Amino acid sequence: MDNVVIYSASWCVPCQTAKQWFDSKGISYVEKQVDSDDPSIIKEFTEAGYMATPTIIINDQVIVGHSPKKYQKALAM
């Protein structure tokens, strides 16, 4: 089972598109919204050095932006 985390923002259109891609493939993920009221998510996001949404981590591989080809490669599809 692959470990997928999506750092997103509620206003981010590429974030929505990325989540739709994972949903359409039946791939589960943990979503962490960086514009939420949860300071621990914001701290985690910034301390890791991430600066853009979506930032997607698949099995420790970081992918910034919506890129199905990169997702497939990271998931070994």
Side-chain angles (χ1 to χ4, degrees), residues 7 48 50 54-65 70 74:
Y7 287 96
Y50 305 141
T55 296
I56 299 166
I57 295 93
I58 302 173
N59 301 324
D60 297 323
Q61 182 176 344
V62 178
I63 301 166
V64 178
K70 290 180 182 179

Side-chain angles (χ1 to χ4, degrees), residues 24-76:
S24 74
K25 303 294 182 196
I27 299 168
S28 61
Y29 54 86
V30 173
E31 180 181 12
K32 297 185 178 189
Q33 284 196 300
V34 299
D35 60 348
S36 72
D37 291 333
D38 186 342
S40 66
I41 293 173
I42 298 164
K43 181 178 179 183
E44 180 181 316
F45 184 75
T46 56
E47 285 185 353
Y50 305 141
M51 300 177 75
T53 56
T55 296
I56 299 166
I57 295 93
I58 302 173
N59 301 324
D60 297 323
Q61 182 176 344
V62 178
I63 301 166
V64 178
H66 177 56
S67 180
K69 287 183 182 181
K70 290 180 182 179
Y71 306 157
Q72 289 173 334
K73 185 176 179 181
L75 293 164

